[in-house]
Amino acid sequence: MAAGKGTRLNSKRPKVLHEVGGRALLLHVIAAAKTLVPAKEIYCIVGHGAERVRAAVATTGVSFVPQPDQRGTGHAMQVLKVWLELSGAPLPKHLLVLSGDVPLIRPETLSALCELHLKERAAMSILTAVPENPTGYGRVLRLTAGQPEVLAIVEQKALTPAQLATREINSGIYCFETAALFSKLDLLCTDNAHGELYLTDVAALLVADGQRVVALQAESVDEVLGANTIAEVMHLDATMRAANARRLMAQGVTIYRPDTCVIDAEVSIGPDTVIEPYVQLLGATRIGSECRIRSYSVIQHSVLGNCVIVRNGCILDRAEVGDGAVLGPYAHLRPESRIGEMAHVGNFCETKKVTLGRGSKANHLTYLGDAVIGSGVNVGAGVITCNYDGAKKHTTTIGDGVFVGSDCTLVAPVSIGDGAYVGAGSCITHPVPAGALAIGRGRQVTKEGWVAARRAARAAARDADQSGTQSPAQTSEKKK
Ligand code: UD1
Ligand code: CA
């Protein structure tokens, strides 16, 4: 069920697309479902922001069932019923119903619910939990404490003062015998605080009919918590990230102050890598072993080899970094930066769409964009590839073992052959052949004794001024 608006979030984004662990709520739920059944047997009920929701989860391969007007969780099931019946396919004997806003659910727990459901031959099996504060959730009333049989689910606003003390909550996750569920959907009514069709009312309807409704309490409360407000989404995010950090640490990763780091669910890190405080590792980032990621670095969708050092304050986006490379402090690697093994990209360097060969170094204040740079190259401080002519991007090609002196501008398209030298301060506009020295700068002019001569001329001018006459030097200065 992923059609709801999420009114309590006060957000334009559909609720199920809010993220925990860097991934949409709904994607977590689908991932859990996919551990039990193939994607084609997963029906995703979409309504509010349906196009956005479909687009965000399209790659999972699930089917979509439209619920254009969202009249409650019971209505969502009515819509599913009609859709399945019209599809002409044989009805599944059992349905596992998940809420799109309960993202931390573990596959093991879902399996346990399904097992109980089959073992108890139940018409409906409800996953529950007993949190410290159950406020806001529907409560599950059991026939006898400690026994699986359930009498009813009562929504928060309908609780009697006596029922308020019940702490066992409905997680919004159920197993149904399909025929039993479908037989009760037309009996649902909107006579409740929200004027909606509640799926939860099916429990009492089945019980009244003498059918078996049971509950299973989840092992951990965290995995059944819902996300109805931004604060709840952020709580789940912190819970998931903390669990994720514990998993990584169990795999041999050292994470100092994990509470200060933002590590997305998909990130993988090799053993003996050290993550310092205040690091963000986002998206599908993969980091090898024995790396060190120093504080205040933000790395997203990037792949780092082994023994890479990322010094403080680096920003990496869709970059690839080879084994033993050293980055930063304050390096900015933009998309398609491919930094070779043992290469260095140092202070205040920016790279974009660049291949930097093995062992090459660009250590200070450099912009390298649209460039193919060989191995063993020294890129001096302040070198700039001038890749953009105002309309198009052009490529700079630098061979192996090239030395580019400090403060050069390389005006692309341009190439520098293997082993060539470029003198500091050059503006290179023509190809430099292999092994050549290129210098492209104004020739230095040296005027020996100029400073003393100038001082003397000034002193003479002052003397003349004080005595009321003008020196020739002063006259010429004024003309200038
Ligand atoms: C629901 C349960 C409540 C339970 C809680 C657990 C009902 C009536 N109440 O309340 O007992 O404790 O979940 O998290 O079911 N949805 C649709 N179509 C709709 C309405 C909702 O697809 O017409 C989807 C929502 O997108 C959401 C899920 O169903 O993913 C649950 O809906 P929500 O409105 O969040 O229900 P709660 O008030 O949390
Ligand atoms: Ca909810």
Side-chain angles (χ1 to χ4, degrees):
M1 297 184 292
K5 178 161 185 264
T7 311
R8 290 162 278 180
L9 285 164
N10 291 316
S11 161
K12 281 190 194 145
R13 210 187 321 171
K15 168 157 69 174
V16 293
L17 296 189
H18 279 259
E19 292 180 357
V20 310
R23 199 151 68 140
L25 298 175
L26 182 56
L27 283 172
H28 288 285
V29 176
I30 291 174
K34 273 174 104 168
T35 63
L36 299 180
V37 294
K40 64 176 181 4
E41 291 176 26
I42 300 173
Y43 303 94
C44 190
I45 301 167
V46 292
H48 182 77
E51 284 316 307
R52 270 180 87 178
V53 175
R54 277 173 190 250
V57 305
T59 54
T60 60
V62 299
S63 309
F64 297 98
V65 178
Q67 187 196 9
D69 51 335
Q70 299 90 48
R71 298 195 276 123
T73 46
H75 181 241
M77 288 300 112
Q78 290 179 349
V79 166
L80 175 72
K81 174 174 181 272
V82 172
W83 198 84
L84 283 177
E85 284 168 356
L86 284 179
S87 79
L91 282 187
K93 190 151 176 6
H94 301 279
L95 274 180
L96 173 63
V97 177
L98 304 173
S99 285
D101 63 347
V102 182
L104 302 192
I105 188 66
R106 291 180 311 138
E108 300 89 304
T109 307
L110 293 179
S111 306
L113 180 69
C114 294
E115 264 173 44
L116 176 88
H117 178 72
L118 296 177
K119 193 184 101 201
E120 294 281 339
R121 297 178 183 277
M124 176 181 189
S125 303
I126 307 160
L127 185 67
T128 71
V130 183
E132 276 304 306
N133 179 8
T135 311
Y137 289 94
R139 307 296 208 289
V140 175
L141 307 182
R142 300 213 187 206
L143 181 63
T144 315
Q147 295 301 311
E149 291 86 357
V150 167
L151 278 176
I153 304 173
V154 184
E155 290 303 294
Q156 171 78 34
K157 288 190 177 160
L159 290 168
T160 63
Q163 290 167 342
L164 268 174
T166 310
R167 280 178 49 222
E168 185 164 25
I169 63 156
N170 166 28
S171 68
I173 295 172
Y174 325 86
C175 252
F176 288 100
E177 195 199 326
T178 312
L181 167 66
F182 285 3
S183 72
K184 297 297 172 227
L185 290 176
D186 291 342
L187 303 178
L188 295 176
C189 67
T190 56
D191 183 15
N192 55 52
H194 291 106
E196 290 186 347
L197 295 165
Y198 287 171
L199 176 57
T200 45
D201 287 347
V202 168
L205 289 170
L206 288 169
V207 171
D209 203 18
Q211 304 207 50
R212 195 163 165 74
V213 178
V214 298
L216 174 73
Q217 191 181 322
E219 271 176 33
S220 94
V221 171
D222 284 342
E223 63 178 317
V224 303
L225 294 181
N228 299 301
T229 63
I230 298 278
E232 284 175 3
V233 176
M234 290 301 99
H235 175 72
L236 296 186
D237 181 75
T239 305
M240 164 161 277
R241 288 182 195 283
N244 201 24
R246 278 196 300 276
R247 175 179 60 81
L248 289 166
M249 288 192 277
Q251 292 166 3
V253 181
T254 298
I255 308 178
Y256 287 101
R257 300 280 313 278
D259 51 317
T260 66
C261 294
V262 178
I263 303 176
D264 278 354
E266 284 175 68
V267 170
S268 72
I269 308 176
D272 294 312
T273 283
V274 176
I275 311 293
E276 295 191 358
Y278 298 100
V279 163
Q280 295 196 39
L281 305 174
L282 310 175
T285 290
R286 297 202 311 270
I287 296 178
S289 54
E290 293 180 67
C291 296
R292 188 168 190 108
I293 315 297
R294 310 213 58 172
S295 294
Y296 312 115
S297 290
V298 179
I299 302 179
Q300 63 176 355
H301 305 298
S302 296
V303 180
L304 279 63
N306 301 322
C307 304
V308 173
I309 297 176
V310 179
R311 295 189 175 130
N312 304 61
C314 290
I315 299 178
L316 277 68
D317 182 12
R318 285 162 223 276
E320 282 172 30
V321 182
D323 294 350
V326 180
L327 309 179
Y330 310 109
H332 184 188
L333 274 56
R334 293 167 50 205
E336 294 182 60
S337 293
R338 297 195 177 84
I339 310 304
E341 289 173 20
M342 313 300 287
H344 289 198
V345 178
N347 314 248
F348 306 107
C349 292
E350 175 182 349
T351 63
K352 186 220 75 174
K353 209 172 180 186
V354 155
T355 307
L356 187 64
R358 184 187 162 85
S360 291
K361 291 176 181 159
N363 267 330
H364 329 268
L365 302 160
T366 282
Y367 171 62
L368 300 173
D370 299 288
V372 180
I373 301 172
S375 59
V377 171
N378 184 81
V379 178
V383 170
I384 307 282
T385 53
C386 309
N387 57 332
Y388 186 50
D389 63 9
K392 276 189 173 163
K393 301 280 170 66
H394 301 281
T395 303
T396 299
T397 308
I398 300 179
D400 294 337
V402 168
F403 179 95
V404 184
S406 295
D407 199 26
C408 289
T409 49
L410 310 175
V411 182
V414 74
S415 65
I416 302 171
D418 290 347
Y421 268 61
V422 177
S426 293
C427 177
I428 298 298
T429 52
H430 292 90
V432 179
L437 165 67
I439 304 171
R441 64 185 179 220
R443 201 169 264 282
Q444 181 173 334
V445 177
T446 307
K447 299 184 176 177
E448 294 243 20
W450 181 87
V451 177
R454 184 163 175 266
R455 266 195 211 125
R458 287 220 165 145
R462 251 194 323 271
D463 293 348
D465 214 22
Q466 278 158 10
S467 62
T469 56
Q470 280 196 342
S471 74
Q474 204 174 8
T475 317
S476 74
E477 288 243 305
K478 276 191 180 158
K479 274 186 195 154
K480 274 187 204 159

